[in-house]
Amino acid sequence: MREIGHFIGGKHVAGTSGRTSNVYNPATGEVQATVALASVDELRAAVENAKAAQPKWAATNPQRRARVFFKFVELLNQNMDELATLLSSEHGKTVEDSKGDIIRGLEVCEFVCGIPHLQKGEFTEGAGPAIDMYSIRQPVGVGAGITPFNFPGMIPMWMFAPAIACGNAFILKPSERDPSLPIRLAELMIEAGLPAGILNVVNGDKAAVDAILTDPDIAAVSFVGSTPIARYVYGTAAMNGKRAQCFGGAKNHMIIMPDADMDQAVNALMGAGYGSAGERCMAVSVAVPVGEETANRLVEKLVPKIESLRIGPYTDEKADMGPLVTKDAYNRVNGLIDRGVEEGAKLVVDGRGFKLQGYEDGYFVGGTLFDHVKPEMDIYKTEIFGPVLSVVRAKNYEDALELPMKHEYGNGVAIYTRDGDAARDFASRINIGMIGVNVPIPVPLAYHSFGGWKASSFGDLNQHGTDSIKFWTRTKTITARWPSGIKDGAEFVMPTMK
Ligand code: NAD
C-alpha cells in the first residue's frame, strides 16, 4: 500500500506519529493509499525548517522570487495531464474538471509573477519640514494554509502563491482525503527553484490544525473549508494572536427572471448544479424562478437534462460528473435527500440508488431535483454539497431577492435576466460577496479577490487579488528627517501639521 507522508525542508518525510488515514478511489470505494497524520512534533519540525529558510528568501530580490513562479507556471502546464489525473484519482471529479481546478490556481501563480510591482510601498516626499514618510510591505514570516478536499490544486495555490511571492515561508495542511496533488505541487516548486524549507506540506487532521493554531512561530493562517471549522479556526487563531482569513460553506441561489433566456439558464444550472457532483463552494444549489409560468418552464426543461447526465469514473472522458469523495459524503447526501422527502418537498428526479455497472461500490449519487422547496426546510437551510438542486418558487422579484438575503450563507449568487435595471438593482442590494449576472459561478479571476459574506467568511481580507498581498504582508511606515531639518531644543507638544 502506498504511504503518503509529509514534504518538509524540500524532502519527502515519512510520518512518525503512528496515526494514518485511508485515501480512497471514490469510483471504486477501494483504499489506494494511506496518509500520515502529523503530530505536534512533526508540525514543529516543519515550522523550524520554515523559520530557518525564511529570512534569506525574504531578502531575495522580488524579481528573483517572481522567476520561481514563472518557471512553476511552465512546469504546471508541462505536467498538466499527470497532475489532473492524480487529482481526479483521489477526488473523483473528471480529469477535464481537475484541469480547471489546477488552472485556476495556476492563474494565481501568474498573478504573483507581478510581485515586484504588487509589493511596492508608498512614499511621500515632504510630509513635514524636511520629513519624508514611506510605507513598506514586509512578509509576516511563517504562514500556514489549511485547505478543503474539493479543490486540492486551486485552493493551496490561492494561499501559497501570494504568501511565498511576498517573501514568507509556508506550511500547507491539505485535506487528508486527497493529499497527493499538494505534495506534487511542492516538488514542482522546488524544481522551479524555490529554496528548501519555504514550502512545506504537513498532512494531518484536527491535531495538525490545532498545532498550527497554537504554534508561536506561525504569524498568519488562511483556512478554507466548512463553516463550523472556519469559525473555530478563526476564533482560535485570533486568540493565539494570529492574523486569520477563514472561508466557509455556501448555499448559492440563482434567480431566473421571467425574461431570461430559458435555455441559457437551464444549461447554466446544469453545469453549476451538477458539475463536480455539486462539490463546489460556488455550486448553485437553489434555483429561484420568478412566477409560476417561469417555474413550470424551468422544471420542464431541467428534468430531461438531469435524467440524461452522464455519470462515470474519472477515467471516462465523456462523463459530466463523477462520484462523491467518500462513503461519508455519500451517506450524508442520500440522508439529506431522504430528509427532503420527509419534509414534503417534491422529489422530481431521484438520484438515490444510482448504480454504475462495474463500479457498484463507488460513491455515485445521481442528479437529483426537488421542486416546491420552502425556506423552512432543512434541505434549503443546509449546504448539501452533492448533485442536488432545489427549486424554490418565488411570486415576484422582491420575494426572490429576499431568499438569498435572509440565508445564513453569502458566498455567491446569480441572476438570469435581460433586464439591466433588475440586474443592477440586484447587484447593488444583495448582501453576498460574489454576484453573477448571467454567469452561474461567478468566481473572480486571480487579479480580483475571492470571498463571501455572512457565514461564508470570517476575517476581513479575501483570497488572491491585491487583498492577498495585504494579508501576507505587514505594513511598516517610516518617518525620516535628517539632521539638517531638525530644530534645536526638545519639543513637548504633540507634533501636528497645525
Ligand atoms: P472541512 O471543514 O471538513 O475540512 C477543511 C479542512 O479542515 C481540512 O484540511 C480538514 O483536515 C480540517 N478539519 C476538519 N475537521 C477539523 C476539525 N474538527 N478541527 C480542525 N480542522 C479540521 O471541509 P471539506 O469537507 O474538506 O470541504 C468542503 C467544505 O469547504 C464545504 O463546506 C465548502 O463549501 C467549503 N469550501 C468553501 C470555499 C470558500 O471559498 N468559501 C471553497 C471551497 C470549499
Side-chain angles (χ1 to χ4, degrees):
M1 178 77 60
R2 190 163 60 95
E3 288 174 14
I4 303 163
H6 313 294
F7 191 85
I8 299 175
K11 291 194 292 277
H12 290 274
V13 178
T16 55
S17 71
R19 292 194 313 123
T20 59
S21 178
N22 289 336
V23 179
Y24 294 88
N25 174 348
T28 61
E30 284 160 12
V31 179
Q32 52 167 323
T34 62
V35 60
L37 301 176
S39 63
V40 176
D41 289 346
E42 287 169 298
L43 186 272
R44 190 62 213 157
V47 176
E48 289 294 348
N49 268 278
K51 224 177 117 179
Q54 192 265 337
K56 195 168 169 211
W57 176 242
T60 302
N61 166 300
Q63 280 169 293
R64 297 204 168 103
R65 278 187 259 134
R67 279 180 201 141
V68 171
F69 285 94
F70 278 111
K71 180 71 190 167
F72 181 60
V73 166
E74 206 180 300
L75 291 172
L76 289 176
N77 280 319
Q78 274 167 17
N79 294 283
M80 188 60 74
D81 288 337
E82 172 230 318
L83 298 172
T85 305
L86 181 65
L87 191 167
S88 289
S89 70
E90 293 179 354
H91 179 290
K93 61 179 144 186
T94 66
V95 173
E96 279 310 302
D97 198 23
S98 290
K99 285 184 187 167
D101 181 334
I102 295 165
I103 291 168
R104 275 304 187 111
L106 176 155
E107 289 173 356
V108 177
C109 298
E110 287 176 333
F111 170 67
V112 305
C113 286
I115 199 66
H117 178 71
L118 292 166
Q119 207 177 345
K120 274 195 311 209
E122 296 168 339
F123 191 95
T124 303
E125 186 192 16
I131 295 175
D132 298 328
M133 194 174 281
Y134 55 102
S135 302
I136 55 176
R137 295 207 155 272
Q138 293 190 323
V140 297
V142 179
I146 302 157
T147 53
F149 81 86
N150 67 329
F151 282 100
M154 175 181 82
I155 296 179
M157 286 188 265
W158 276 2
M159 298 176 183
F160 77 65
I164 290 174
C166 288
N168 297 288
F170 198 80
I171 314 284
L172 173 65
K173 204 304 283 171
S175 170
E176 59 275 44
R177 289 177 241 172
D178 43 16
S180 291
L181 183 76
I183 294 233
R184 187 77 189 98
L185 295 178
E187 284 175 355
L188 290 178
M189 281 290 283
I190 295 283
E191 201 179 322
L194 189 74
I198 297 299
L199 176 56
N200 304 279
V201 183
V202 176
N203 280 308
D205 56 3
K206 179 171 168 51
V209 171
D210 286 343
I212 288 172
L213 298 179
T214 51
D215 192 288
D217 288 317
I218 294 179
V221 177
S222 183
F223 173 90
V224 177
S226 58
T227 287
I229 315 294
R231 196 177 267 128
Y232 167 75
V233 170
Y234 185 66
T236 315
M239 223 149 56
N240 284 281
K242 300 182 196 314
R243 179 179 290 195
Q245 52 169 196
C246 301
F247 299 87
K251 191 83 176 177
N252 306 311
H253 296 56
M254 186 169 122
I255 316 288
I256 301 106
M257 296 294 284
D259 68 340
D261 180 315
M262 192 53 82
D263 289 323
Q264 286 181 1
V266 166
N267 284 333
L269 275 172
M270 290 304 299
Y274 301 102
S276 203
E279 291 176 320
R280 290 183 183 137
C281 67
M282 290 292 275
V284 172
S285 50
V286 183
V288 186
V290 173
E292 279 302 301
E293 199 261 336
T294 314
N296 294 339
R297 276 193 293 141
L298 176 75
V299 172
E300 194 185 311
K301 284 193 181 247
L302 272 173
V303 171
K305 292 209 178 238
I306 299 169
E307 285 173 343
S308 58
L309 272 170
R310 182 166 169 138
I311 302 170
Y314 72 91
T315 43
D316 176 355
E317 284 177 12
K318 295 202 180 115
D320 298 315
M321 68 183 221
L324 293 174
V325 67
T326 56
K327 184 88 184 176
D328 281 352
Y330 171 88
N331 289 337
R332 195 179 154 276
V333 170
N334 277 300
L336 279 160
I337 302 174
D338 294 344
R339 180 81 194 118
V341 175
E342 276 164 37
E343 289 180 305
K346 183 177 173 199
L347 184 58
V348 185
V349 185
D350 185 357
R352 293 171 299 180
F354 172 88
K355 285 281 172 230
L356 189 65
Q357 212 183 354
Y359 295 87
E360 286 79 4
D361 293 328
Y363 311 134
F364 295 95
V365 175
T368 299
L369 181 70
F370 277 113
D371 196 359
H372 297 285
V373 173
K374 304 283 178 228
E376 56 280 7
M377 292 180 180
D378 286 344
I379 55 161
Y380 176 74
K381 291 187 269 189
T382 312
E383 178 184 42
I384 298 177
F385 227 53
V388 182
L389 182 65
S390 294
V391 175
V392 182
R393 295 173 176 236
K395 282 199 198 68
N396 52 43
Y397 168 69
E398 288 297 331
D399 286 357
L401 178 70
E402 198 167 86
L403 287 162
M405 291 281 278
K406 286 196 170 159
H407 205 284
E408 176 192 7
Y409 294 114
N411 219 35
V413 72
I415 186 166
Y416 267 67
T417 184
R418 296 170 198 268
D419 178 345
D421 276 337
R424 189 175 180 281
D425 181 77
F426 182 76
S428 164
R429 286 165 65 194
I430 197 83
N431 55 358
I432 285 179
M434 293 170 282
I435 321 295
V437 176
N438 299 316
V439 173
I441 305 188
V443 177
L445 290 174
Y447 41 95
H448 286 264
S449 286
F450 178 107
W453 286 16
K454 301 189 276 183
S456 297
S457 169
F458 304 87
D460 43 18
L461 287 169
N462 283 345
Q463 296 286 354
H464 56 74
T466 47
D467 267 21
S468 66
I469 309 302
K470 289 186 184 146
F471 184 77
W472 294 110
T473 54
R474 272 189 292 227
T475 307
K476 189 180 267 179
T477 305
I478 297 111
T479 305
R481 183 165 61 175
W482 298 100
S484 60
I486 300 175
K487 284 194 238 147
D488 287 341
E491 287 181 53
F492 294 98
V493 175
M494 180 71 187
T496 65
M497 282 297 135
K498 208 170 109 193

